[in-house]
Amino acid sequence: MSRFEYAPAPESRAIVDIKSSYGLFVNGQFTDATDGKPFKTVSPSSEEVLAEVSEAGPADVDRAVRAARKAYEKVWGPMSGKDRAKYLFRIARLIQERSRELAVLESLDNGKPIRESRDVDIPLVAAHFFYYAGWADKLEYAGAGDDPRPWGVAGQVIPWNFPMLMLAWKIAPALAAGNTVVLKPAETTPLTALAFAEICQQADLPPGVVNIVTGAGRTGQALVEHPDVDKIAFTGSTAVGRAIAKAIAGTEKAVTLELGGKAANIVFEDAPIDQTIEGIVNGIFFNQGHVCCAGSRLLVQESVYDEVLGRLKRRMETLRVGDPLDKNTDIGAINSPAQLAKIRELSQIGEDEGAERWSPECELPSQGYWFPPTVFTGVSQAHRIAREEIFGPVLSVLTFRTPAEAVEKANNTPFGLSAGIWTEKGSRILWMANQLRAGVVWANTFNRFDPTSPFGGYKESGYGREGGRHGLEAYLAH
Amino acid sequence: MTTLDSGVDTLADVTSSEDRLRRFLLGLPGVDQVGAEARAATLSSRSIKTTAKQYALDLAISMIDLTTLEGQDTPGKVRALCAKAKRPDPADPTAPQVAAVCVYPDLVATAKRELQGSGINVASVATAFPSGRSSLAIKVQDTKDAVAAGADEVDMVIDRGAFLSGRYAMVFDEIAAIREAAGDAHLKVILETGELVTYDNVRRASWLAMLAGADFIKTSTGKVSPAATLPVTLVMLEAVRDYHEATGLHIGVKPAGGIRTAKDAIKYLVTVNETAGPDWLDPELFRFGASSLLNDLLMQRTKLATGHYPGPDYFTLD
């Protein structure tokens, strides 16, 4: 008998019906774009062209905003919270019913493993709609004043790392609070947002309440700068976030920005060792490291450095990289050639600056965009790989000797989105969590999300919170 | 002390006094319950199909300790079980044999006679199974009886009361005494994890048993609920992996009780493969203590070969 090699177990694509081309979703209808060039969306694991998607120019964005305004004034704004909740519950149920299809579509368009889209992303998407549906008729109890009012039209721009989940984070609270939305998905991952547009039709959502305009930076800019948009919500890079903050400075637009991160995952000598290794792996290799709150800086107490590194490498050797639609794949494809180039460039810089690079033996597919799980040791605070967000499966390992030093190093970053603490000592967890300047601090776990829990950053990681009551508040004027 | 840098010499040191043993066991890294269970859940989501499934089903059959541990056991019942062990699927001679037949000490001789020349081991539970609540002298005699009757493997239970009250040296000495009484027989130490309750205890008991000379560590007697669970087995597999790293020795793991379906068995094999590693995918180092599991494995095996499920009456009762 041979070794236990897992035979491929691919999820069927037949469940997904991808059209050859998609228009914009404006006022409840798919319509042609009037002033943009169509672009193609490809599957990052195979470079196969999946569909042609419209680019929305300023005139199209204007149409979408006007549709949203009308829907806000005539239908959605005046509607009772209880009735809005019915629509949101209906959407949540439709997402559950179509979850397999959405998971396959997400893995095709984004490159993430089906294990994650099926077991994490889509269940969380449905959970967010269910959660905020529950708030729709209870806004006055959300802690945002006695008579909280929606802002009006929300312009939302989301990234490509969790296309459907970010859509849910944005649209669910916005609609629950009574806003209407114009949402721009990322140009490399528009397909699940367009599938969501179909779900809105299926749910009989009044026309104009949700509008989806596809496109790249130009479309996003037109949306952000549109004078009739009341509230901007953006998740993406710090550079774009800064540009948005500048663009809307002096206007009355409300804004939430969820930007980059360079989280410290801090391991003390008394940590629950095997679960810590899982947490490190999950922290940086989940979704190919395309996670703004990824634990990309591992801070290990010097006394357990060798043990942690040895175990981490052994564990990394069992990671399966490859076809995202294979149910046994742990790490999928890098989302785009541009992102792959950036990961390669920063990794090269890491080597050039003297850090030691290691990856397990793993065969990468010849087609598509791939990067092996990678760990850099001998990294110091002064290295660029310890400071810049790589947004890929690349872990930098640093060491510390005392809790105070761990806090100092963890906070010594322009970012402040998340952090992780691994120790069996409860008092240390609480002490550390108070010292760390990060929006989320996980203890003995990492990358856990729940609709009830607020998420957001300090410093260059942005401002405002999404999720929980706080996320609802961001869509309410008071 | 960390588990990885403890060599053979230092491990001998830790058993040199009660105090040192205690400090060593309490100094083992903790197990985070949520994390261990999450890891087990991830491992159970592996999708094992086609050739991998064929391999897994046959491997699982060859790892079974076919067991009867009832007050009503008779020589006739044991003979029937032995016949099944030799030829699990009368309709398909390509089905592999199981690893061992596990019986009470008084039935060892019967099983031994039936299995003569088959290559299948006879395992026997001894040491006042299942509670273990009698004197050491009786436990030693129980073990000697089983071995004298021809048992190739002895499954002993630890004194959970002593363990839970922190008398680690007493548990250690007892295992060591049984180890000696068992002679050449393989010693499987039953931790009864359902009574130890916490994963920290499971990890400590695993190390304690290995330090005292266990060839195998086993989850349960099958008489206590919960019996084997995937997270408990995961923690034990981590312990044997770490022990191997520290000493170079391979210790086996045997989940027992409650594993009834091929699907469950495959989850265990995946966990073995990705935790202790492929070396442990061998009846020498991994066993299933189960009897009802076998028929489901045979049924799935037939399904793979013929494309449809035979009814339960196509497989023998025992």
Side-chain angles (χ1 to χ4, degrees):
Chain A
M1 279 189 217
S2 64
R3 280 169 52 116
F4 194 13
E5 296 288 353
Y6 306 157
E11 177 67 64
S12 167
R13 277 183 66 160
I15 192 168
V16 181
D17 179 24
I18 304 176
K19 298 189 182 73
S20 58
S21 72
Y22 287 88
L24 309 171
F25 185 67
V26 175
N27 206 29
Q29 304 283 335
F30 282 98
T31 66
D32 291 334
T34 55
D35 65 353
K37 275 206 298 270
F39 60 97
K40 293 177 170 55
T41 184
V42 303
S43 172
S45 62
S46 63
E47 299 175 54
E48 169 201 359
V49 174
L50 296 171
E52 196 173 77
V53 180
S54 306
E55 185 195 5
D60 298 310
V61 169
D62 183 56
R63 257 193 316 139
V65 173
R66 274 189 285 123
R69 173 63 60 195
K70 195 172 147 210
Y72 172 66
E73 281 169 2
K74 305 273 184 222
V75 194
W76 199 250
M79 190 185 284
S80 73
K82 205 169 134 194
D83 286 339
R84 284 203 306 274
K86 286 182 190 166
Y87 285 104
L88 287 169
F89 277 123
R90 200 181 293 165
I91 289 171
R93 288 193 302 268
L94 286 167
I95 288 167
Q96 283 186 322
E97 277 167 26
R98 295 176 64 169
S99 60
R100 207 166 130 226
E101 173 196 353
L102 291 169
V104 172
L105 191 56
E106 194 79 309
S107 284
L108 273 174
D109 202 19
N110 169 280
K112 67 173 65 199
I114 187 81
R115 186 163 70 78
E116 291 175 8
S117 53
R118 177 196 65 194
D119 298 346
V120 182
D121 292 40
I122 304 301
L124 270 175
V125 168
H128 271 86
F129 276 97
F130 277 118
Y131 174 74
Y132 282 113
W135 272 118
D137 61 350
K138 305 176 194 70
L139 296 178
E140 59 270 42
Y141 306 108
D146 296 339
D147 184 27
R149 308 296 313 154
W151 287 107
V153 175
Q156 308 178 319
V157 179
I158 57 170
W160 47 260
N161 56 342
F162 292 93
M164 192 66 184
L165 185 59
M166 292 300 107
L167 174 146
W169 280 25
K170 298 278 184 296
I171 290 184
L175 296 192
N179 303 271
T180 56
V181 304
V182 179
L183 175 125
K184 187 197 88 70
E187 69 268 31
T188 58
T189 56
L191 293 183
T192 39
L194 294 164
F196 180 77
E198 289 172 11
I199 288 173
C200 292
Q201 288 179 326
Q202 224 181 327
D204 270 331
L205 192 70
V209 174
V210 168
N211 304 273
I212 312 270
V213 290
T214 44
R218 192 174 77 109
T219 309
Q221 192 180 355
L223 180 57
V224 167
E225 291 175 356
H226 194 289
D228 205 27
V229 169
D230 302 299
K231 147 91 190 180
I232 304 290
F234 172 77
T235 296
S237 73
T238 295
V240 175
R242 208 178 268 136
I244 290 174
K246 275 184 191 154
I248 61 169
T251 72
E252 292 195 339
K253 286 176 183 164
V255 66
T256 43
L257 300 173
E258 200 266 274
L259 310 175
K262 191 76 188 173
N265 207 357
I266 305 160
V267 178
F268 287 95
E269 59 191 357
D270 67 339
I273 188 81
D274 292 303
Q275 291 72 51
T276 301
I277 300 300
E278 290 308 314
I280 296 167
V281 166
N282 185 39
I284 186 63
F285 302 124
F286 180 71
N287 201 29
Q288 298 74 247
H290 301 330
V291 185
C292 43
C293 53
S296 52
R297 279 188 301 150
L298 179 64
L299 294 178
V300 185
Q301 194 155 18
E302 276 186 16
S303 52
V304 287
Y305 174 82
D306 290 339
E307 182 170 8
V308 168
L309 250 286
R311 285 171 181 253
L312 176 62
K313 287 180 177 178
R314 181 176 64 200
R315 175 68 176 87
M316 282 170 69
E317 280 173 348
T318 66
L319 289 170
R320 304 167 65 88
V321 186
D323 180 7
L325 286 188
D326 188 331
K327 292 170 203 157
N328 292 324
T329 291
D330 297 316
I331 298 186
I334 302 300
N335 183 255
S336 66
Q339 188 56 30
L340 181 59
K342 185 185 158 198
I343 298 169
R344 284 182 173 153
E345 186 200 339
L346 276 160
S347 299
Q348 189 55 49
I349 289 169
E351 264 183 85
D352 295 345
E353 289 184 351
E356 194 185 324
R357 175 179 184 160
W358 184 89
S359 290
E361 293 276 325
C362 64
E363 217 175 294
L364 300 178
S366 52
Q367 283 288 97
Y369 321 127
W370 304 91
F371 197 87
T374 299
V375 57
F376 275 100
T377 49
V379 179
S380 77
Q381 288 287 94
H383 283 118
R384 268 183 73 187
I385 51 169
R387 309 209 63 80
E388 291 178 34
E389 188 177 36
I390 300 174
F391 222 64
V394 181
L395 178 67
S396 297
V397 186
L398 299 96
T399 58
F400 69 91
R401 293 156 298 179
T402 63
E405 187 183 353
V407 167
E408 231 170 44
K409 282 186 168 167
N411 287 340
N412 179 219
T413 166
F415 298 105
L417 196 51
S418 66
I421 308 166
W422 296 86
T423 172
E424 286 278 276
K425 206 174 168 83
S427 58
R428 188 186 285 142
I429 290 173
L430 298 175
W431 181 82
M432 290 288 290
N434 276 332
Q435 309 288 315
L436 291 169
R437 299 182 62 205
V440 182
V441 178
W442 284 292
N444 289 346
T445 189
F446 210 92
N447 271 347
R448 289 299 169 108
F449 297 95
D450 189 281
T452 62
S453 172
F455 182 89
Y458 279 47
K459 299 191 276 187
E460 289 202 10
S461 293
Y463 38 76
R465 292 292 180 264
E466 295 184 286
R469 278 192 303 113
H470 307 69
L472 196 63
E473 222 180 317
Y475 285 95
L476 292 168
H478 55 89
Chain B
M1 171 187 270
T2 58
T3 51
L4 280 190
D5 54 21
S6 47
V8 182
D9 290 336
T10 50
L11 277 184
D13 288 349
V14 303
T15 58
S16 63
S17 76
E18 169 143 31
D19 190 43
R20 283 186 175 185
L21 179 63
R22 183 183 175 76
R23 266 188 291 158
F24 173 79
L25 293 176
L26 296 181
L28 288 168
V31 182
D32 184 80
Q33 182 186 341
V34 176
E37 287 169 2
R39 174 66 179 148
T42 308
L43 287 165
S44 353
S45 74
R46 289 287 191 221
S47 184
I48 303 302
K49 303 281 183 213
T50 61
T51 52
K53 190 170 181 182
Q54 268 166 8
Y55 170 77
L57 292 175
D58 278 5
L59 182 63
I61 293 172
S62 74
M63 289 171 160
I64 286 183
D65 283 1
L66 209 53
T67 303
T68 183
L69 296 171
E70 302 292 338
Q72 56 187 352
D73 284 347
T74 59
K77 160 89 178 170
V78 170
R79 278 196 295 272
L81 201 66
C82 291
K84 173 130 183 172
K86 288 192 277 192
R87 196 163 186 191
D89 186 351
D92 182 0
T94 65
Q97 289 186 339
V98 302
V101 169
C102 182
V103 293
Y104 276 118
D106 62 322
L107 289 162
V108 166
T110 309
K112 192 71 188 171
R113 257 194 316 276
E114 275 322 294
L115 294 172
Q116 202 75 50
S118 67
I120 298 172
N121 282 348
V122 175
S124 180
V125 293
T127 66
F129 181 93
S131 71
R133 303 211 81 110
S134 57
S135 70
L136 180 59
I138 286 177
K139 292 177 183 175
V140 167
Q141 193 54 48
D142 201 14
T143 306
K144 284 184 174 162
D145 286 351
V147 175
D152 307 289
E153 305 174 2
V154 168
D155 290 25
M156 75 166 286
V157 290
I158 65 164
D159 183 339
R160 282 86 78 190
F163 182 90
L164 289 170
S165 59
R167 286 172 285 151
Y168 299 130
M170 182 183 161
V171 180
F172 179 91
D173 291 343
E174 205 167 88
I175 297 171
I178 302 298
R179 161 77 281 167
E180 206 189 324
D184 291 338
H186 248 52
L187 181 65
K188 305 199 197 101
V189 177
I190 304 173
L191 311 179
E192 196 64 290
T193 53
E195 290 184 345
L196 300 185
V197 182
T198 68
Y199 296 123
D200 286 331
N201 275 345
V202 171
R203 174 168 286 187
R204 283 177 202 138
S206 299
W207 274 87
L208 184 58
M210 292 188 289
L211 290 168
D215 296 304
F216 255 81
I217 48 176
K218 175 175 166 184
T219 61
S220 329
T221 58
K223 309 284 183 194
V224 168
S225 182
T229 67
L230 197 58
V232 154
T233 310
L234 170 72
V235 171
M236 289 165 66
L237 284 162
E238 287 165 354
V240 299
R241 177 198 66 198
D242 292 346
Y243 189 76
H244 173 253
E245 203 129 329
T247 64
L249 300 173
H250 289 82
I251 307 297
V253 175
K254 177 177 170 186
I259 306 164
R260 292 192 180 84
T261 64
K263 207 171 176 179
D264 279 343
I266 289 173
K267 290 176 186 176
Y268 279 86
L269 294 182
V270 166
T271 306
V272 172
N273 189 39
E274 298 197 33
T275 307
D279 280 3
W280 268 261
L281 288 172
D282 188 307
E284 289 289 309
L285 290 172
F286 196 77
R287 294 279 180 86
F288 289 107
S291 33
S292 54
L293 170 64
L294 179 55
N295 274 7
D296 195 53
L297 288 166
L298 293 171
M299 195 188 286
Q300 299 298 333
R301 200 176 176 276
T302 309
K303 160 72 166 57
L304 273 185
T306 65
H308 46 83
Y309 285 107
D313 285 344
Y314 286 79
F315 300 100
T316 54
L317 276 176
D318 53 25

